[in-house]
Amino acid sequence: MEPVSTDDVTAFRRFNRYFTRRIGVLDDHYLGQDRPLGEARLLYEIAGSEAGVSLRDLRGRLGLDAGYLSRMVRTLQAQGMVRLGVHPDDSRLRTVEPTPAGRAEVEEQNRRAGALTAGLLQGLAPDQRRELTEALATAQRLLRLAGITVERVDGHAPDARACLDAYAADLDARFPEGFDKSDLVGPEEVSGDAGAFFVAYEEGRPVGCGALRRLEPGVGEIKHVWVDPGARRLGLARRLLDALEGEAAARGLTVVRLDTHAVLTEAQAMYQACGYTEIPAYTDHVYAGHWFEKRLGSGPESRR
Amino acid sequence: MEPVSTDDVTAFRRFNRYFTRRIGVLDDHYLGQDRPLGEARLLYEIAGSEAGVSLRDLRGRLGLDAGYLSRMVRTLQAQGMVRLGVHPDDSRLRTVEPTPAGRAEVEEQNRRAGALTAGLLQGLAPDQRRELTEALATAQRLLRLAGITVERVDGHAPDARACLDAYAADLDARFPEGFDKSDLVGPEEVSGDAGAFFVAYEEGRPVGCGALRRLEPGVGEIKHVWVDPGARRLGLARRLLDALEGEAAARGLTVVRLDTHAVLTEAQAMYQACGYTEIPAYTDHVYAGHWFEKRLGSGPESRR
DNA sequence: ATATTTCTTTGACTTTAGTCAAAGGAAATG
DNA sequence: CATTTCCTTTGACTAAAGTCAAAGAAATAT
């Protein structure tokens, strides 16, 4: 893996310092106008999630001490900003939800913050605003991608199954003929000697997966490459492929194959961009309409 | 002035939230590992400026209460991180400078922050790192520009004179024959009916200027458009020109002219890009090598 | 069914951050 | 040279942020 150039690091740190100084501070400042910052943040978080949130969740998300959180929630409750309840499934957990008043306050804060931002952008010409918006979108996309880790997990792991379920639901919606879950590989097919399973995590949540399976001596098959709709267009599928190919190479496989459904045109384009070439059918798989192959370890990768 | 689209505002706010959550927080966190955040920031600021800094300066830069600052500085002194002295020119002022130990601590923090950043960027391919760096640079450039205000000031104002001094020094260094300060317009030539003077401010500091002078009935002259070296390549000169032309139009002038030295090729390109056309000499000014003119109020601006 | 773990609440703290006013020395102003 | 302004220090506070441990209720594991 290439080392990170110090120029990139300095540029990043320079931006970071500039941005948090100039913008981040502002944002925090308006937030905590009528109440302590911690409380404002908490209310914002509570109002952000439509249904009720559990205190346990909030604690995790905001990284707060249990006692501290408990007290702040009480304060908000006393002010009529939130309502407390008991979790229906587990009565140890308490849930919080915003009252109309709480929602209104957050709305008002959003309005003010929006006005602040608009004031800032006012200093730019329209085309410069567009340029800024695009640059920020690019940066955010890449930052998200950088924060996602791809990890090998056991085929039986709950995260693995969760991803496959989501994958199956996705395909069922996209294939004209639907998709039957029983067609997924079993956990034992992607564990141990038989294969491997990778899950991509973003801030602890699984947002993508991919499986590798031994097909015949020297040949592997890649299956079930899936990316959560919320994490698409980041370049994550490529990273999953990288991981799968790396694993295949480490197992001494020289060729990987895969098949894909005719309707998944963007997937086909992606495979081709990653160095896969279309080959004749190597399976008579129900859903397969196109077959691809890539020879591994043949010098430099064709990276976009 | 065009209204800011809500899309741009939302995109900006989304980035802001994402960035401060994911990155900004990190940065603060490592900073305040061994000492309170405020103290760490203060030490960072002190170590950042090579020579000693005055407390007055620090107070301005960090926006701290005088008493609060005084105490924090004492704490740092007691820990051997900084040395206190009296300002040579004004013994009401105190100066602070980092000791070797203080410098070392900041160095160590920088090292750690750098490692953190490198770890983050590690998740990206080299070309994606470059893309990110570029996007951040663009964003920072535009944010800086958005934060700069152009204000009309009196020709006698200290900020106006400071800009003109810097401008003169700049020209003196660039012109082969040097530049004589006595050639600058006098304060009364850019005040009241005779003309106007604009200063660009970035976070309270003057970073650019431009003057407008009545030349003859219906015709104005733009002079001394200057941008601080630290604020170049942002598009600030254009904004200064916009302000000057707006002022000229408001005064009923229909034409503005300007002259420029032969060596200032980038200025000439900029004038042309802003709708100025070269004309024959209208002065026999010593330093002038090219003359330009623009007719005002003729429909839509040619914006880049 | 008993023990263990999980989750929230409460009490009792500490640290950090920040404010305000008084006071004294030094420079600038008239 | 008297007055005003500027800058720092000190004392006396307050509010916010955060920590830790004990305790009780509910769920899970054995």
Side-chain angles (χ1 to χ4, degrees):
Chain A
M1 188 147 275
E2 278 91 338
V4 177
S5 95
T6 53
D7 277 1
D8 285 339
V9 172
T10 348
F12 187 88
R13 296 235 298 140
R14 187 178 327 121
F15 178 84
N16 189 357
R17 217 168 310 134
Y18 181 79
F19 193 83
T20 44
R21 274 281 159 86
R22 263 239 17 243
I23 318 290
V25 169
L26 265 183
D27 227 52
D28 271 3
H29 196 258
Y30 82 82
L31 239 187
Q33 276 186 315
D34 305 322
R35 56 173 80 251
L37 190 57
E39 235 173 79
R41 272 204 273 255
L42 176 58
L43 180 57
Y44 188 89
E45 196 71 31
I46 293 171
S49 34
E50 277 313 306
V53 211
S54 70
L55 290 188
R56 192 241 249 121
D57 246 40
L58 286 172
R59 237 175 48 222
R61 265 192 257 171
L62 299 173
L64 295 172
D65 174 82
Y68 189 22
L69 174 62
S70 176
R71 253 180 283 259
M72 279 202 290
V73 168
R74 292 290 149 171
T75 312
L76 288 175
Q77 187 193 27
Q79 294 170 345
M81 296 290 130
V82 302
R83 228 191 318 274
L84 276 165
V86 174
H87 196 281
D89 300 340
D90 183 342
S91 42
R92 288 172 305 180
L93 271 67
R94 317 221 60 189
T95 58
V96 217
E97 54 175 2
T99 61
R103 259 188 242 278
E105 181 171 323
V106 170
E107 263 315 300
E108 171 60 16
Q109 278 172 359
N110 273 331
R111 221 190 41 71
R112 272 194 266 172
L116 208 78
T117 302
L120 185 94
L121 297 178
Q122 192 71 58
L124 294 176
D127 57 340
Q128 291 172 321
R129 282 178 216 152
R130 203 167 332 112
E131 203 187 344
L132 176 60
T133 302
E134 271 165 33
L136 293 179
T138 303
Q140 191 168 352
R141 176 173 65 80
L142 291 166
L143 285 172
R144 279 190 66 189
L145 181 59
I148 294 177
T149 57
V150 172
E151 286 165 41
R152 192 174 163 192
V153 305
D154 188 87
H156 300 83
D159 286 344
R161 302 321 297 176
C163 282
L164 286 180
D165 286 349
Y167 168 71
D170 241 31
L171 293 188
D172 192 49
R174 288 200 66 181
F175 292 175
E177 70 272 33
F179 179 83
D180 182 5
K181 275 185 69 164
S182 68
D183 197 63
L184 294 172
V185 295
E188 59 300 323
E189 290 182 85
V190 292
S191 302
D193 271 356
F197 199 88
F198 287 85
V199 172
Y201 290 94
E202 182 177 31
E203 298 182 22
R205 274 200 309 279
V207 292
C209 69
L212 174 72
R213 181 164 73 149
R214 252 201 54 197
L215 203 62
E216 54 188 74
V219 180
E221 186 182 27
I222 285 174
K223 289 194 79 74
H224 306 335
V225 173
W226 171 78
V227 173
D228 185 279
R232 285 184 192 163
R233 313 215 53 76
L234 300 178
L236 181 52
R238 279 162 213 269
R239 282 191 55 195
L240 284 164
L241 275 185
D242 279 358
L244 292 163
E245 293 168 11
E247 178 68 23
R251 286 165 181 251
L253 306 176
T254 54
V255 173
V256 285
R257 293 187 188 144
L258 55 87
D259 60 23
T260 179
H261 193 280
V263 300
L264 301 176
T265 50
E266 79 285 12
Q268 288 155 37
M270 197 252 319
Y271 290 130
Q272 269 165 341
C274 287
Y276 286 76
T277 50
E278 188 148 8
I279 54 168
Y282 68 92
T283 59
D284 55 354
H285 201 231
V286 242
Y287 301 112
H290 294 269
W291 294 261
F292 290 91
E293 179 177 287
K294 182 180 186 175
R295 198 155 285 279
L296 298 179
S298 49
E301 289 279 310
S302 79
R303 270 189 186 277
R304 164 167 68 129
Chain B
M1 186 147 276
E2 279 89 339
V4 177
S5 94
T6 54
D7 277 1
D8 285 340
V9 171
T10 348
F12 188 89
R13 295 235 301 141
R14 188 180 325 121
F15 178 84
N16 188 358
R17 216 168 311 132
Y18 182 78
F19 193 83
T20 45
R21 272 284 158 85
R22 264 235 22 241
I23 319 289
V25 171
L26 267 184
D27 226 53
D28 269 3
H29 196 257
Y30 82 83
L31 239 186
Q33 274 185 316
D34 305 322
R35 57 174 78 253
L37 191 58
E39 233 173 84
R41 272 204 270 254
L42 176 58
L43 180 57
Y44 187 89
E45 197 70 31
I46 294 171
S49 35
E50 276 314 304
V53 211
S54 69
L55 290 189
R56 191 243 250 119
D57 247 39
L58 285 172
R59 237 177 46 223
R61 265 193 258 172
L62 298 173
L64 295 172
D65 174 81
Y68 188 23
L69 174 62
S70 176
R71 254 179 282 259
M72 279 203 287
V73 168
R74 291 291 148 172
T75 313
L76 287 174
Q77 186 193 29
Q79 293 170 344
M81 295 291 130
V82 302
R83 228 191 318 273
L84 275 165
V86 173
H87 196 280
D89 300 340
D90 183 340
S91 40
R92 288 171 305 182
L93 271 68
R94 318 222 58 189
T95 58
V96 219
E97 53 175 3
T99 61
R103 257 188 246 278
E105 181 171 323
V106 170
E107 262 316 298
E108 170 61 16
Q109 277 172 359
N110 273 329
R111 222 189 41 70
R112 270 193 265 172
L116 209 79
T117 302
L120 186 93
L121 297 179
Q122 192 72 58
L124 294 176
D127 56 341
Q128 290 173 321
R129 284 177 214 153
R130 204 166 331 113
E131 203 187 344
L132 176 60
T133 303
E134 270 165 36
L136 292 180
T138 303
Q140 191 168 354
R141 176 172 66 78
L142 290 167
L143 285 172
R144 279 189 67 189
L145 182 60
I148 295 177
T149 56
V150 173
E151 285 166 39
R152 190 173 165 193
V153 305
D154 187 86
H156 300 81
D159 287 343
R161 301 321 295 178
C163 282
L164 286 180
D165 285 349
Y167 168 70
D170 241 34
L171 294 187
D172 193 50
R174 288 199 66 180
F175 293 175
E177 70 271 34
F179 180 82
D180 182 7
K181 277 183 65 165
S182 68
D183 198 63
L184 295 171
V185 296
E188 58 300 322
E189 289 182 86
V190 291
S191 304
D193 272 355
F197 199 89
F198 287 86
V199 172
Y201 290 94
E202 182 177 32
E203 298 182 22
R205 272 200 311 281
V207 292
C209 69
L212 174 74
R213 183 165 70 153
R214 253 202 55 199
L215 203 61
E216 54 189 74
V219 181
E221 187 182 27
I222 285 174
K223 289 195 79 75
H224 308 335
V225 172
W226 170 79
V227 173
D228 185 281
R232 287 187 190 160
R233 313 215 52 76
L234 300 178
L236 181 51
R238 277 164 215 269
R239 282 192 55 195
L240 285 164
L241 275 184
D242 279 356
L244 292 164
E245 291 168 11
E247 177 69 24
R251 284 164 183 253
L253 305 177
T254 54
V255 173
V256 284
R257 292 185 188 147
L258 55 88
D259 60 22
T260 178
H261 193 279
V263 301
L264 301 176
T265 49
E266 78 285 11
Q268 288 155 37
M270 196 254 316
Y271 290 131
Q272 267 164 343
C274 288
Y276 285 75
T277 50
E278 190 149 8
I279 53 168
Y282 68 91
T283 58
D284 55 353
H285 202 231
V286 243
Y287 301 112
H290 295 269
W291 293 259
F292 290 90
E293 181 178 284
K294 182 179 186 176
R295 198 154 286 279
L296 297 179
S298 46
E301 288 282 306
S302 79
R303 272 192 187 274
R304 168 172 63 131

